Amino acid sequence: MTHPTPPPIPTPTPTGAPGTAGPTTATPAPMPGDTDAPTAGAQHTGAPATSFGNSHAPAQPTTRVFVPRDSAARSVGADEVAERLAALHDTSAVVRTGSRGMLWLEPLVEVETGEGRVGYGPVAAEDVDGLIAGGMIEGAVVGPYLGLVDELPWMKRQQRLTFQRVGVVDPLSTTDYLAHGGLTGLRAALAMDPAEVVETVVDSGLRGRGGAGFPTGIKWRTVLNADADLKFVCCNADEGDSGTYADRMLIEGDPFTLIEGMTIAAYAVGAAEGYVYLRSEYPDAVATLKAAIELARAAGWLGPDILGSGFGFDLHVRVGAGAYICGEETSMLESLEGKRGMVRAKPPIPALEGLFGRPTVVNNVLSLATIPTILANGAAAYAAYGTGRSLGTSVFQLGGNVARGGIVETAFGITLGELVNDFGGGTSSGRPVRAVQVGGPLGAYLPVEQFDLPMDYEAFAAAGAMVGHGGIVVFDETVDMAAMARFAFEFCAAESCGKCTPCRVGAVRGVETIDRILTSTAGTDRAQNLVLLEDLCELMTDGSLCAMGGLTPMPVRSAVRHFGEDFQA
Amino acid sequence: MTSEVVAAAPVPVPGRAQRVREIAEELRGLRGALIPILHAVQEEFGYVDPPDVAVIADVLNLAVAEVHGVVTFYKDFRRTAAGRTTVAICQAEACRAVGAVELAEHAKRTVGCDFGETTYDGRITLEEIYCFGNCALGPTVQVGSKLHGRVTPTRLNTLLGESR
């Protein structure tokens, strides 16, 4: 690996994100009045609320230490680190946050100092004793010392709007949420007419983060103008694509933002009920969101009279049951209705006839979670970011064989190469990058030669690819692209809902055709099967009922186009 | 790959039908109640038994075939009990990029069963999962309810040993 972890930066100048990011990334200075915050957090994060277990007099507030409770951080030992810290330091001063998104540094421990939060990572449970003895609680340069977290180059280069609080706050502390700008967007919305809220979202240029990139405000306008006694807001949190984990991280790290965004959506379109369809593969996110909804109800942020405005809205979580297709919006609606997750033909569009036949807003987690910042700072401030028709910021997710995997939120227009090489630091195996898949299992495989592509919906479409939800999966030179193309068909065959023939049968035929290409010995036979494969891809693209069958050809065709040598026998 | 789980025949639970009816009646008021009811039944009993289907259909006033169709559509719902520990290995692209396929082969050889199957002694059920959202720290394996990142074959051996 040619990119070492960023060196510590000695002179601290705490800054927020550039532009209009708001106050939330500013380093919170330790205040005497803060003492209630960690206690509140400790109650919700499962630590015993009564254990102020040290013998020190409470006159001197204990230094707060932050350890992520994000499931990615927990998968590499964050719980054990937090336990050890609580045992040696002070249970009530250990705050469990979301992850900052620098996943290669997890578990990342942060300590509050006069200059801001100082980071150490990765930290193993067995390192904790030594680090504390070396002065970690005082912010000393010891062990995997990183310096001020907000000053790390990886963080400073980003523009965090949607993710501004993730990794910073205790996800289940209403106090923390308010202290970091929470509810500003909802309050601004409630002071406007619903139609004004919709127009603000239209003007912001926000497009659906689920994949298709449809303008969110236009969708809302359709629902607002539909006449019905009951309307719904549904959050599609079943984005089960490999390489997409921003939804999970946002829900685990800042669930109130999603709740606030859905409440604004409900107010804007006149909906009374909302559902979050959350995949069962994310049990921590399910637990966090359910807890957050309870807290929001208790605080009057949900319910019959939100913030005393007279507007009523309530929100429920529904857990999926392991069907990839339910990430498609009409399948999701069928599943919410208690049926098999089979795709519906459109029209009618869900905005007019959605859940239980009522007008329904269906948005992705990131789209809804971006709404509060748009309302808080105004449409123009959001639209000032980005390029062309891709306005605002996007949450890119680096995964797979990558040295520095994690969350990068920047304005659209950053190039693929900057994300993979500058942020990602190339592969974790140290071998050259060969391919990246952008936008999930149905996204294109792109070669290094296309690394100058800007992250922009139109530029990607022109290159036969898609930005989708911004997930980027990196593969090194050992990848067999014919195997990946075959896997795309295999996955489609397993996960197809079965309603339309191009997807149900086409995917099975696709696997067979690739097998024939790879086993054929005579060149003509291979060539004929490649023609057949192309024909099949065209038919699936044009003839499938939804994006599952319609987009499966994208990874296949891109693999043949850019990595044709792998399709030789 | 989707062969039936190899496990001992489920022992009939006394009063199970009554309890399933209670669960269904408690949740029937929810919008789209069927899937929450199935989750609740599986949470309590570990699987959805075919006789449960008729009870749930009765409470919701649905055809048995309709409920059966839902149970069989979703991968989460089991129709027989799983082993004592479920080991789920992510097989999606990001984990594949860092050796998830080889890890799965190693797991199958080690425990002696395929994905979707349970070991002869009922100790481990092996499952393939498509994405836990841990794509930057793969390969990812879930043992019971605990997620593990960056799992090597050696580490997997340790995890399998602990679940014994």
Side-chain angles (χ1 to χ4, degrees):
Chain A
M1 280 182 280
T2 51
H3 297 265
T5 47
I9 293 164
T11 42
T13 36
T15 57
T20 53
T24 52
T25 45
T27 317
M31 298 287 183
D34 274 356
T35 43
D36 62 332
T39 315
Q43 282 169 352
H44 303 309
T45 49
T50 48
S51 64
F52 298 99
N54 60 349
S55 53
H56 303 298
Q60 187 68 37
T62 321
T63 306
R64 291 199 291 171
V65 181
F66 304 87
V67 186
R69 45 171 257 162
D70 180 275
S71 51
R74 295 178 63 203
S75 83
V76 288
D79 283 349
E80 291 76 8
V81 170
E83 261 171 51
R84 196 67 200 135
L85 274 165
L88 290 178
H89 180 48
D90 178 354
T91 305
S92 63
V94 177
V95 182
R96 302 301 298 270
T97 61
S99 169
R100 292 272 198 164
M102 296 182 285
L103 293 169
W104 78 100
L105 292 178
E106 294 292 1
L108 172 69
V109 175
E110 294 177 43
V111 175
E112 199 164 57
T113 71
E115 281 77 46
R117 288 194 196 176
V118 171
Y120 301 83
V123 173
E126 54 268 31
D127 302 338
V128 172
D129 296 51
L131 289 170
I132 288 185
M136 179 174 78
I137 303 296
E138 292 74 44
V141 182
V142 55
Y145 173 86
L146 299 165
L148 290 170
V149 174
D150 286 330
E151 297 294 319
L152 295 176
W154 167 281
M155 294 298 292
K156 279 198 82 164
R157 267 194 74 184
Q158 301 190 33
Q159 288 112 34
R160 290 203 169 187
L161 303 181
T162 310
F163 261 63
Q164 53 187 324
R165 279 178 290 263
V166 177
V168 178
V169 298
D170 173 348
L172 292 177
S173 163
T174 49
T175 331
D176 245 11
Y177 189 64
L178 292 174
H180 288 83
L183 296 194
T184 317
L186 177 58
R187 290 204 167 95
L190 292 173
M192 297 180 193
D193 280 344
E196 281 180 77
V197 178
V198 170
E199 293 317 307
T200 302
V201 176
V202 172
D203 294 344
S204 74
L206 179 69
R207 293 167 72 174
R209 299 291 188 249
F214 188 82
T216 304
I218 306 290
K219 194 185 273 186
W220 287 19
R221 198 189 273 158
T222 309
V223 180
L224 171 67
N225 293 333
D227 189 28
D229 57 339
L230 182 62
K231 298 177 187 177
F232 295 104
V233 174
C234 290
C235 171
N236 185 347
D238 191 39
E239 200 77 67
D241 287 1
S242 170
T244 321
Y245 50 87
D247 293 1
R248 181 191 62 66
M249 283 186 59
L250 185 112
I251 293 173
E252 288 185 28
D254 189 15
F256 293 127
T257 299
L258 177 60
I259 295 170
E260 186 181 345
M262 289 186 74
T263 309
I264 294 169
Y267 176 74
V269 304
E273 250 177 78
Y275 290 88
V276 180
Y277 188 87
L278 185 44
R279 55 201 314 259
S280 60
E281 290 85 347
Y282 296 170
D284 289 8
V286 172
T288 307
L289 187 60
K290 284 183 171 170
I293 287 173
E294 289 300 322
L295 291 167
R297 278 198 197 115
W301 301 355
L302 285 173
D305 181 21
I306 292 167
L307 300 177
S309 65
F311 167 67
F313 174 66
D314 206 2
L315 191 54
H316 309 275
V317 177
R318 284 286 189 277
V319 180
Y324 175 80
I325 191 63
C326 291
E328 196 280 335
E329 64 174 349
T330 62
S331 299
M332 184 198 77
L333 293 171
E334 289 285 306
S335 187
L336 273 171
E337 292 180 6
K339 303 174 190 157
R340 292 160 70 93
M342 309 266 289
V343 175
R344 294 178 188 170
K346 291 190 277 192
I349 53 170
L352 294 173
E353 285 180 42
L355 189 61
F356 298 103
R358 309 304 175 98
T360 305
V361 167
V362 183
N363 281 150
N364 170 272
V365 175
L366 295 182
S367 320
L368 288 163
T370 303
I371 296 295
T373 184
I374 291 172
L375 268 294
N377 300 317
Y382 189 75
Y385 290 95
T387 173
R389 289 174 49 214
S390 303
L391 299 179
T393 61
S394 187
V395 180
F396 301 108
Q397 302 134 80
L398 295 169
N401 194 335
V402 63
R404 293 193 298 249
I407 290 285
V408 180
E409 183 176 354
T410 71
F412 281 102
I414 185 172
T415 67
L416 186 55
E418 283 176 279
L419 286 167
V420 175
N421 291 326
D422 299 356
F423 279 99
T427 64
S428 53
S429 61
R431 294 170 180 272
V433 175
R434 179 153 187 244
V436 295
Q437 188 178 30
V438 184
L442 310 178
Y445 286 101
L446 297 169
V448 178
E449 290 72 44
Q450 288 194 298
F451 270 20
D452 54 354
L453 258 184
M455 302 305 290
D456 164 327
Y457 290 106
E458 278 68 40
F460 262 66
M466 65 174 188
V467 173
H469 42 58
I472 298 170
V473 176
V474 181
F475 296 84
D476 73 10
E477 62 183 5
T478 61
V479 67
D480 175 352
M481 293 307 297
M484 296 314 293
R486 186 183 189 279
F487 174 68
F489 276 133
E490 228 182 354
F491 185 70
C492 182
E495 298 291 345
S496 171
C497 82
K499 187 158 179 172
C500 75
T501 316
C503 173
R504 183 184 67 242
V505 178
V508 177
R509 290 295 190 222
V511 174
E512 292 168 3
T513 310
I514 289 188
D515 282 346
R516 278 203 301 273
I517 290 166
L518 296 179
T519 54
S520 63
T521 42
T524 49
D525 193 19
R526 183 181 315 125
Q528 279 169 0
N529 278 304
L530 278 165
V531 172
L532 190 65
L533 184 72
E534 177 53 30
D535 188 50
L536 178 70
C537 284
E538 194 179 318
L539 184 132
M540 285 179 73
T541 305
D542 296 344
S544 297
L545 201 52
C546 82
M548 174 95 209
L551 288 177
T552 296
M554 192 180 271
V556 176
R557 278 171 149 166
S558 60
V560 174
R561 191 161 109 213
H562 300 300
F563 307 94
E565 62 275 21
D566 286 12
F567 291 81
Q568 309 299 315
Chain B
M1 294 295 256
T2 53
S3 56
E4 287 293 312
V5 175
V6 182
V11 182
V13 182
R16 177 165 177 149
Q18 179 55 33
R19 180 64 194 132
V20 170
R21 184 172 293 276
E22 277 169 27
I23 292 171
E25 279 173 355
E26 191 189 315
L27 298 174
R28 67 184 293 179
L30 295 177
R31 288 193 199 277
L34 180 53
I35 291 172
I37 289 170
L38 292 171
H39 271 307
V41 168
Q42 177 150 308
E43 169 103 55
E44 186 155 327
F45 294 103
Y47 62 99
V48 180
D49 210 11
D52 301 343
V53 170
V55 177
I56 296 167
D58 184 46
V59 173
L60 295 183
N61 197 22
L62 291 171
V64 173
E66 247 174 294
V67 178
H68 172 82
V70 171
V71 173
T72 51
F73 183 84
Y74 296 96
K75 283 196 291 276
D76 281 5
F77 301 128
R78 305 179 167 284
R79 279 167 288 160
T80 47
R84 282 197 295 283
T85 305
T86 300
V87 176
I89 305 177
C90 179
Q91 293 291 288
E93 285 84 350
C95 283
R96 275 176 185 247
V98 284
V101 175
E102 296 75 13
L103 186 69
E105 290 311 314
H106 173 82
K108 290 175 192 172
R109 270 198 313 276
T110 309
V111 306
C113 72
D114 205 342
F115 280 137
E117 295 180 348
T118 300
T119 52
Y120 71 94
D121 57 1
R123 189 165 72 82
I124 288 174
T125 296
L126 210 56
E127 281 188 340
E128 59 185 325
I129 290 276
Y130 290 90
C131 205
F132 290 108
N134 198 28
C135 314
L137 296 173
T140 303
V141 176
Q142 190 186 43
V143 180
S145 60
K146 183 146 174 55
L147 208 60
H148 300 271
R150 288 192 181 127
V151 179
T152 58
T154 317
R155 182 118 184 275
L156 185 64
N157 289 346
T158 312
L159 295 172
L160 292 172
E162 283 166 1
S163 68
R164 191 171 286 274

